[in-house]
Amino acid sequence: MTDELSQISATARGAARSQDWAQVDACAREILRRDNTSAEGYFLTGLVLKASRKPAMAAQSFEQALVLDADRYDAAVELANQYSIARRNGDTAALLAKYEEALGNSPMYLDLAGTVYVDIGLPERAWPLYKKATELQPGVDLFQANLAACGVYLGKVEEAKEIYQALLQRFPGHRRNHYELSRLEKAKDSTHIEQMKQILRGSDSPPDENVFIYYAIGKELEDLGQWQESFEFYQKAGDAVVSVADYDVATDVQLMDTIMGVCSADWLADAADACSADDSAKTPIFIVGLPRTGTTLTERIVSSHSQVESIGETLFLQMVLRRESAVHSVENMNPAIVEAVARKDMGIIAKGYLDAVSYRLGEKPMFIDKLPFNFLFLGFIAKAYPRARIIHLGRNPIDACFSMYKQVFTWAYKFSYSLEGLGRYYVAYDRMRNHWRKLLGDRMIEVEYESLVANQEAETRILLDKLGLEFEQACLDFDQNTAPSTTASSVQVREKVHTDSVNRWTRFSKQLQPLKEHLESAGIKVE
């Protein structure tokens, strides 16, 4: 690169640090005008397109940069990031693995590579990269927070706790870090609660900016048995989310109604599009149900078996359904997608899913995909994968609802932030569960959370038998399983089975009475 081009590049890098993307774009264009084979020009163009949220075009630019200069590890990590956004996870993993050793002196790209590894479900690969980034540049809070979050996924709770405490000493008002710290252990006194309340008293931030700290305070108050005040903070958090969310639970109810109408007995029995999923040597086990009903516990028990591995929670099934429907929509799933994909060849669905998850699969013959949300798609699973096992978790309805109410979730569970939304959604979900029960019969293995924690060995033996697996002691000792967990239960899965969460809702019976009445009026029994 000539001195003039180097100067233009330096100007662009400075502009990128200040997020002046117009200047970066101008510099990139000038570099490519002078030298249309400049890897730097294409790399800078990729950064501009990334900032503009045009992942496909950004990927093309980073790909061209690598064609012109295969040693550009920065372009490789940026490209991996764009691949992960497109859910090309296999390509992402391969690209990161190829360039990992070249990242040794770049804290920024070590951190980004770690974040991409976490995004594709490989936090164990992210940990050493995050560690190296913090060693090279120890004063960066973002790097420290990413290392702590990854530590939680890997069961390194004490290390994570120390990091969050250090971060909060430097920036006491960081709401998210207070929340993450609150999750790591049961509160023993009100010290941390008072620190968080002081932050609220000294701030005029709107409620939606305090959501994480509301949840943290609510959780620790519950730890201390201060039920009334705990609920008040959970309610503040939920109300704050609802106030800024563009959401109507009727949309989700309509989707469930459409799915039940489309996935009928006649549709399932139609073998015209017989698939080839059984040609695969791998047998998927789908663990589904509402969140907070024991799906993670069940995953840890079953994945502790020598014949089973887990790929965690993936969105690949939904991704393939969306793609093969050929319906273009900004929604993740809607009735039009369901109706269109139901007419497609289920063999294509099966192959597309297995291709997508292949980068995660080892030598074991069975693997678990544990996305609770997949309870919506049991009809498609049953038709596409004749040998697949389906485990559906159930839990006392009001315990399940309340456990969701006090948890921060992603886009998939917007219904959980209000008791009214929870009530309406649960009634529709219960109707759908009954639909799958009638449609799938014994193919759907039902596990009740309360029975599992009360009679772990007996229920585990029954479950393994239904899965066609021999009993193994490791399944009872699942708390010794060192595999990562990136779920909301990532801390609890390191504990032995207990019944502390059974009938926990009764401590909040007054506050939850309207929800209880709504469920009972729909014929749903609440113990």
Side-chain angles (χ1 to χ4, degrees):
M1 186 182 293
T2 67
D3 289 344
E4 286 187 350
L5 291 182
S6 295
Q7 183 58 48
I8 297 172
S9 172
T11 300
R13 296 301 182 111
R17 285 191 291 272
S18 60
Q19 299 187 354
D20 182 354
W21 299 114
Q23 178 68 28
V24 177
D25 187 42
C27 291
R29 290 176 184 277
E30 180 60 20
I31 290 173
L32 291 173
R33 186 187 71 79
R34 297 186 183 207
D35 179 5
N36 63 7
T37 64
S38 169
E40 177 72 353
Y42 283 104
F43 175 78
L44 293 171
T45 300
L47 292 182
V48 173
L49 292 167
K50 173 186 175 182
S52 302
R53 299 191 177 186
K54 298 177 180 178
M57 296 174 66
Q60 291 175 357
S61 291
F62 294 131
E63 285 170 343
Q64 185 60 30
L66 279 177
V67 167
L68 294 167
D69 185 352
D71 293 330
R72 288 291 297 258
Y73 65 80
D74 50 356
V77 177
E78 293 286 2
L79 178 58
N81 188 22
Q82 300 310 302
Y83 282 169
S84 73
I85 292 170
R87 291 299 161 203
R88 293 174 56 180
N89 289 12
D91 293 334
T92 303
L95 192 57
L96 289 178
K98 181 178 179 180
Y99 282 88
E100 263 185 49
E101 292 187 5
L103 304 179
N105 293 315
S106 176
M108 182 177 78
Y109 281 107
L110 283 164
D111 179 79
L112 179 57
T115 298
V116 175
Y117 266 135
V118 169
D119 185 56
I120 64 173
L122 297 171
E124 67 277 15
R125 300 283 293 273
W127 177 258
L129 304 186
Y130 282 145
K131 287 280 284 186
K132 185 67 173 177
T134 58
E135 289 167 3
L136 290 172
Q137 202 166 348
V140 180
D141 285 6
L142 175 62
F143 296 172
Q144 295 284 339
N146 285 340
L147 178 65
C150 187
V152 174
Y153 299 149
L154 299 175
K156 302 177 186 293
V157 174
E158 286 303 314
E159 290 182 59
K161 179 181 172 182
E162 290 178 7
I163 295 170
Y164 283 126
Q165 288 173 335
L167 287 170
L168 287 169
Q169 285 181 349
R170 293 203 294 271
F171 188 11
H174 197 292
R175 272 73 165 160
R176 179 64 181 263
N177 287 342
H178 279 290
Y179 169 75
E180 297 296 348
L181 180 61
S182 74
R183 296 177 58 229
L184 299 185
E185 64 181 4
K186 191 172 183 177
K188 300 178 180 64
D189 56 48
S190 61
T191 303
H192 188 211
I193 294 171
E194 290 306 315
Q195 291 173 354
M196 292 187 285
K197 286 183 175 180
Q198 183 59 39
I199 292 169
L200 294 178
R201 286 192 288 266
S203 169
D204 58 0
S205 298
D208 60 282
E209 294 182 8
N210 290 323
V211 167
F212 282 106
I213 207 164
Y214 290 152
Y215 277 117
I217 294 173
K219 185 267 182 189
E220 294 201 9
L221 285 168
E222 184 178 356
D223 288 343
L224 299 177
Q226 299 181 34
W227 318 120
Q228 175 65 38
E229 190 179 7
S230 169
F231 189 88
E232 290 171 2
F233 276 94
Y234 288 143
Q235 189 168 37
K236 284 177 184 285
D239 289 350
V241 174
V242 170
S243 71
V244 296
D246 181 16
Y247 172 73
D248 184 350
V249 68
T251 302
D252 279 330
V253 173
Q254 181 187 14
L255 176 62
M256 284 190 270
D257 286 340
T258 300
I259 292 171
M260 286 185 282
V262 167
C263 296
S264 64
D266 289 341
W267 172 83
L268 185 62
D270 182 2
D273 57 350
C275 70
S276 59
D278 280 1
D279 294 341
S280 170
K282 303 292 185 181
T283 301
I285 301 172
F286 292 92
I287 299 180
V288 304
L290 287 177
R292 314 299 293 165
T293 56
T295 54
T296 301
L297 170 62
T298 304
E299 174 206 28
R300 301 297 283 195
I301 290 172
V302 178
S303 66
S304 296
H305 197 281
S306 63
Q307 300 301 302
V308 184
E309 61 190 333
S310 176
I311 62 172
E313 297 184 354
T314 85
L315 292 169
F316 288 126
L317 178 61
Q318 179 180 263
M319 178 193 77
V320 174
L321 292 174
R322 279 174 51 83
R323 183 182 70 206
E324 297 305 324
S325 75
V327 173
H328 298 287
S329 172
V330 296
E331 297 174 295
N332 291 293
M333 186 58 58
N334 61 32
I337 295 172
V338 170
E339 291 168 348
V341 78
R343 297 189 292 268
K344 301 294 182 176
D345 182 347
M346 289 297 112
I348 295 176
I349 304 297
K351 184 178 185 304
Y353 171 79
L354 292 172
D355 286 346
V357 303
S358 62
Y359 79 103
R360 293 290 305 276
L361 301 180
E363 299 301 319
K364 297 181 181 181
M366 304 179 80
F367 70 92
I368 295 171
D369 188 330
K370 186 211 79 75
L371 184 69
F373 188 65
N374 279 337
F375 76 80
L376 290 170
F377 309 124
L378 294 188
F380 294 102
I381 290 171
K383 192 167 185 177
Y385 309 104
R387 291 194 300 116
R389 312 295 199 268
I390 298 169
I391 303 173
H392 196 142
L393 267 293
R395 186 181 180 186
N396 180 312
I398 200 161
D399 263 336
C401 286
F402 182 52
S403 189
M404 286 186 282
Y405 183 64
K406 58 185 182 178
Q407 178 66 48
V408 180
F409 283 118
T410 58
W411 58 267
Y413 309 115
K414 290 181 180 178
F415 60 87
S416 66
Y417 293 103
S418 76
L419 295 181
E420 178 188 4
L422 272 164
R424 292 175 63 189
Y425 193 94
Y426 192 93
V427 170
Y429 157 78
D430 187 68
R431 189 166 67 251
M432 174 168 263
R433 185 182 182 186
N434 286 328
H435 173 77
W436 296 137
R437 185 179 286 131
K438 293 175 183 177
L439 187 69
L440 303 179
D442 292 341
R443 280 210 62 188
M444 186 172 81
I445 303 168
E446 297 195 68
V447 176
E448 295 300 321
Y449 172 76
E450 289 80 6
S451 298
L452 183 59
V453 297
N455 303 287
Q456 181 194 0
E457 180 170 349
E459 293 296 318
T460 296
R461 286 180 179 275
I462 292 170
L463 175 57
L464 293 176
D465 182 63
K466 289 181 178 179
L467 292 171
L469 294 168
E470 296 291 331
F471 173 77
E472 291 182 358
Q473 180 63 31
C475 295
L476 298 185
D477 300 329
F478 69 89
D479 55 302
Q480 303 301 312
N481 187 335
T482 59
S485 174
T486 59
T487 73
S489 303
S490 54
V491 176
Q492 291 91 331
V493 296
R494 312 293 173 182
E495 303 170 353
K496 290 187 178 296
V497 163
H498 58 76
T499 59
D500 293 355
S501 296
V502 175
N503 285 328
R504 194 165 186 82
W505 76 272
T506 57
R507 298 170 174 87
F508 303 85
S509 56
K510 179 180 178 182
Q511 297 90 336
L512 296 174
Q513 186 62 26
L515 173 61
K516 181 174 183 289
E517 291 175 356
H518 181 85
L519 296 176
E520 289 178 334
S521 69
I524 296 171
K525 185 178 180 181
V526 177
E527 297 290 345

PDB file of all heavy atoms in Angstrom, residues 75-91:
ATOM      1  N   ALA A  75     -10.601  -9.263   8.559  1.00  0.00           N
ATOM      2  CA  ALA A  75     -11.676  -9.532   7.606  1.00  0.00           C
ATOM      3  C   ALA A  75     -12.304 -10.900   7.870  1.00  0.00           C
ATOM      4  O   ALA A  75     -13.521 -11.076   7.729  1.00  0.00           O
ATOM      5  CB  ALA A  75     -11.140  -9.458   6.179  1.00  0.00           C
ATOM      6  N   ALA A  76     -11.484 -11.870   8.274  1.00  0.00           N
ATOM      7  CA  ALA A  76     -12.001 -13.215   8.543  1.00  0.00           C
ATOM      8  C   ALA A  76     -12.971 -13.220   9.717  1.00  0.00           C
ATOM      9  O   ALA A  76     -14.042 -13.835   9.659  1.00  0.00           O
ATOM     10  CB  ALA A  76     -10.840 -14.173   8.819  1.00  0.00           C
ATOM     11  N   VAL A  77     -12.618 -12.525  10.801  1.00  0.00           N
ATOM     12  CA  VAL A  77     -13.506 -12.498  11.970  1.00  0.00           C
ATOM     13  C   VAL A  77     -14.767 -11.701  11.660  1.00  0.00           C
ATOM     14  O   VAL A  77     -15.873 -12.087  12.054  1.00  0.00           O
ATOM     15  CB  VAL A  77     -12.769 -11.925  13.198  1.00  0.00           C
ATOM     16  CG1 VAL A  77     -13.723 -11.836  14.387  1.00  0.00           C
ATOM     17  CG2 VAL A  77     -11.577 -12.797  13.553  1.00  0.00           C
ATOM     18  N   GLU A  78     -14.607 -10.593  10.947  1.00  0.00           N
ATOM     19  CA  GLU A  78     -15.790  -9.822  10.557  1.00  0.00           C
ATOM     20  C   GLU A  78     -16.696 -10.658   9.657  1.00  0.00           C
ATOM     21  O   GLU A  78     -17.927 -10.623   9.792  1.00  0.00           O
ATOM     22  CB  GLU A  78     -15.375  -8.543   9.825  1.00  0.00           C
ATOM     23  CG  GLU A  78     -14.645  -7.527  10.684  1.00  0.00           C
ATOM     24  CD  GLU A  78     -15.542  -6.787  11.664  1.00  0.00           C
ATOM     25  OE1 GLU A  78     -16.753  -7.087  11.716  1.00  0.00           O
ATOM     26  OE2 GLU A  78     -15.030  -5.898  12.379  1.00  0.00           O
ATOM     27  N   LEU A  79     -16.111 -11.425   8.763  1.00  0.00           N
ATOM     28  CA  LEU A  79     -16.902 -12.296   7.892  1.00  0.00           C
ATOM     29  C   LEU A  79     -17.600 -13.378   8.699  1.00  0.00           C
ATOM     30  O   LEU A  79     -18.785 -13.673   8.476  1.00  0.00           O
ATOM     31  CB  LEU A  79     -15.992 -12.920   6.835  1.00  0.00           C
ATOM     32  CG  LEU A  79     -16.666 -13.897   5.860  1.00  0.00           C
ATOM     33  CD1 LEU A  79     -17.808 -13.218   5.114  1.00  0.00           C
ATOM     34  CD2 LEU A  79     -15.632 -14.452   4.872  1.00  0.00           C
ATOM     35  N   ALA A  80     -16.886 -13.954   9.658  1.00  0.00           N
ATOM     36  CA  ALA A  80     -17.509 -14.959  10.526  1.00  0.00           C
ATOM     37  C   ALA A  80     -18.707 -14.376  11.256  1.00  0.00           C
ATOM     38  O   ALA A  80     -19.747 -15.038  11.421  1.00  0.00           O
ATOM     39  CB  ALA A  80     -16.484 -15.497  11.525  1.00  0.00           C
ATOM     40  N   ASN A  81     -18.576 -13.131  11.675  1.00  0.00           N
ATOM     41  CA  ASN A  81     -19.684 -12.456  12.361  1.00  0.00           C
ATOM     42  C   ASN A  81     -20.900 -12.348  11.447  1.00  0.00           C
ATOM     43  O   ASN A  81     -22.039 -12.595  11.862  1.00  0.00           O
ATOM     44  CB  ASN A  81     -19.223 -11.069  12.813  1.00  0.00           C
ATOM     45  CG  ASN A  81     -20.241 -10.387  13.707  1.00  0.00           C
ATOM     46  OD1 ASN A  81     -21.078 -11.032  14.324  1.00  0.00           O
ATOM     47  ND2 ASN A  81     -20.168  -9.077  13.773  1.00  0.00           N
ATOM     48  N   GLN A  82     -20.678 -11.995  10.198  1.00  0.00           N
ATOM     49  CA  GLN A  82     -21.785 -11.881   9.253  1.00  0.00           C
ATOM     50  C   GLN A  82     -22.378 -13.246   8.927  1.00  0.00           C
ATOM     51  O   GLN A  82     -23.589 -13.389   8.779  1.00  0.00           O
ATOM     52  CB  GLN A  82     -21.314 -11.184   7.975  1.00  0.00           C
ATOM     53  CG  GLN A  82     -20.778  -9.776   8.186  1.00  0.00           C
ATOM     54  CD  GLN A  82     -21.706  -8.907   9.010  1.00  0.00           C
ATOM     55  OE1 GLN A  82     -22.868  -8.704   8.655  1.00  0.00           O
ATOM     56  NE2 GLN A  82     -21.191  -8.399  10.123  1.00  0.00           N
ATOM     57  N   TYR A  83     -21.526 -14.266   8.838  1.00  0.00           N
ATOM     58  CA  TYR A  83     -22.038 -15.622   8.623  1.00  0.00           C
ATOM     59  C   TYR A  83     -22.935 -16.054   9.782  1.00  0.00           C
ATOM     60  O   TYR A  83     -23.970 -16.703   9.583  1.00  0.00           O
ATOM     61  CB  TYR A  83     -20.877 -16.613   8.492  1.00  0.00           C
ATOM     62  CG  TYR A  83     -20.168 -16.628   7.159  1.00  0.00           C
ATOM     63  CD1 TYR A  83     -18.958 -17.310   7.004  1.00  0.00           C
ATOM     64  CD2 TYR A  83     -20.701 -15.992   6.045  1.00  0.00           C
ATOM     65  CE1 TYR A  83     -18.294 -17.345   5.781  1.00  0.00           C
ATOM     66  CE2 TYR A  83     -20.041 -16.016   4.820  1.00  0.00           C
ATOM     67  CZ  TYR A  83     -18.838 -16.696   4.702  1.00  0.00           C
ATOM     68  OH  TYR A  83     -18.189 -16.732   3.497  1.00  0.00           O
ATOM     69  N   SER A  84     -22.540 -15.704  10.995  1.00  0.00           N
ATOM     70  CA  SER A  84     -23.349 -16.112  12.152  1.00  0.00           C
ATOM     71  C   SER A  84     -24.706 -15.422  12.130  1.00  0.00           C
ATOM     72  O   SER A  84     -25.717 -16.019  12.519  1.00  0.00           O
ATOM     73  CB  SER A  84     -22.613 -15.823  13.462  1.00  0.00           C
ATOM     74  OG  SER A  84     -22.587 -14.444  13.756  1.00  0.00           O
ATOM     75  N   ILE A  85     -24.744 -14.174  11.693  1.00  0.00           N
ATOM     76  CA  ILE A  85     -26.020 -13.464  11.573  1.00  0.00           C
ATOM     77  C   ILE A  85     -26.930 -14.174  10.578  1.00  0.00           C
ATOM     78  O   ILE A  85     -28.148 -14.274  10.775  1.00  0.00           O
ATOM     79  CB  ILE A  85     -25.773 -12.002  11.148  1.00  0.00           C
ATOM     80  CG1 ILE A  85     -25.093 -11.240  12.279  1.00  0.00           C
ATOM     81  CG2 ILE A  85     -27.083 -11.317  10.752  1.00  0.00           C
ATOM     82  CD1 ILE A  85     -24.597  -9.859  11.893  1.00  0.00           C
ATOM     83  N   ALA A  86     -26.330 -14.693   9.516  1.00  0.00           N
ATOM     84  CA  ALA A  86     -27.093 -15.416   8.496  1.00  0.00           C
ATOM     85  C   ALA A  86     -27.356 -16.868   8.897  1.00  0.00           C
ATOM     86  O   ALA A  86     -27.922 -17.628   8.123  1.00  0.00           O
ATOM     87  CB  ALA A  86     -26.348 -15.369   7.167  1.00  0.00           C
ATOM     88  N   ARG A  87     -26.938 -17.255  10.101  1.00  0.00           N
ATOM     89  CA  ARG A  87     -27.078 -18.620  10.622  1.00  0.00           C
ATOM     90  C   ARG A  87     -26.331 -19.639   9.764  1.00  0.00           C
ATOM     91  O   ARG A  87     -26.731 -20.815   9.691  1.00  0.00           O
ATOM     92  CB  ARG A  87     -28.557 -19.007  10.754  1.00  0.00           C
ATOM     93  CG  ARG A  87     -29.280 -18.242  11.849  1.00  0.00           C
ATOM     94  CD  ARG A  87     -28.679 -18.506  13.201  1.00  0.00           C
ATOM     95  NE  ARG A  87     -29.044 -17.490  14.191  1.00  0.00           N
ATOM     96  CZ  ARG A  87     -28.349 -17.219  15.285  1.00  0.00           C
ATOM     97  NH1 ARG A  87     -27.240 -17.890  15.526  1.00  0.00           N
ATOM     98  NH2 ARG A  87     -28.733 -16.303  16.135  1.00  0.00           N
ATOM     99  N   ARG A  88     -25.242 -19.197   9.172  1.00  0.00           N
ATOM    100  CA  ARG A  88     -24.339 -20.128   8.480  1.00  0.00           C
ATOM    101  C   ARG A  88     -23.297 -20.582   9.504  1.00  0.00           C
ATOM    102  O   ARG A  88     -22.102 -20.310   9.385  1.00  0.00           O
ATOM    103  CB  ARG A  88     -23.687 -19.435   7.275  1.00  0.00           C
ATOM    104  CG  ARG A  88     -24.659 -19.078   6.175  1.00  0.00           C
ATOM    105  CD  ARG A  88     -23.991 -18.255   5.077  1.00  0.00           C
ATOM    106  NE  ARG A  88     -22.820 -18.920   4.494  1.00  0.00           N
ATOM    107  CZ  ARG A  88     -22.082 -18.386   3.512  1.00  0.00           C
ATOM    108  NH1 ARG A  88     -22.403 -17.194   3.029  1.00  0.00           N
ATOM    109  NH2 ARG A  88     -21.031 -19.039   3.036  1.00  0.00           N
ATOM    110  N   ASN A  89     -23.770 -21.254  10.525  1.00  0.00           N
ATOM    111  CA  ASN A  89     -22.924 -21.530  11.681  1.00  0.00           C
ATOM    112  C   ASN A  89     -21.772 -22.474  11.392  1.00  0.00           C
ATOM    113  O   ASN A  89     -20.694 -22.348  11.970  1.00  0.00           O
ATOM    114  CB  ASN A  89     -23.774 -22.086  12.831  1.00  0.00           C
ATOM    115  CG  ASN A  89     -24.673 -21.023  13.436  1.00  0.00           C
ATOM    116  OD1 ASN A  89     -24.840 -19.946  12.881  1.00  0.00           O
ATOM    117  ND2 ASN A  89     -25.263 -21.331  14.571  1.00  0.00           N
ATOM    118  N   GLY A  90     -21.990 -23.427  10.500  1.00  0.00           N
ATOM    119  CA  GLY A  90     -20.905 -24.321  10.146  1.00  0.00           C
ATOM    120  C   GLY A  90     -19.762 -23.568   9.487  1.00  0.00           C
ATOM    121  O   GLY A  90     -18.581 -23.774   9.814  1.00  0.00           O
ATOM    122  N   ASP A  91     -20.110 -22.679   8.549  1.00  0.00           N
ATOM    123  CA  ASP A  91     -19.091 -21.855   7.895  1.00  0.00           C
ATOM    124  C   ASP A  91     -18.408 -20.939   8.908  1.00  0.00           C
ATOM    125  O   ASP A  91     -17.198 -20.694   8.839  1.00  0.00           O
ATOM    126  CB  ASP A  91     -19.725 -21.011   6.788  1.00  0.00           C
ATOM    127  CG  ASP A  91     -20.228 -21.853   5.629  1.00  0.00           C
ATOM    128  OD1 ASP A  91     -19.691 -22.961   5.424  1.00  0.00           O
ATOM    129  OD2 ASP A  91     -21.154 -21.412   4.933  1.00  0.00           O
TER     130      ASP A  91
END
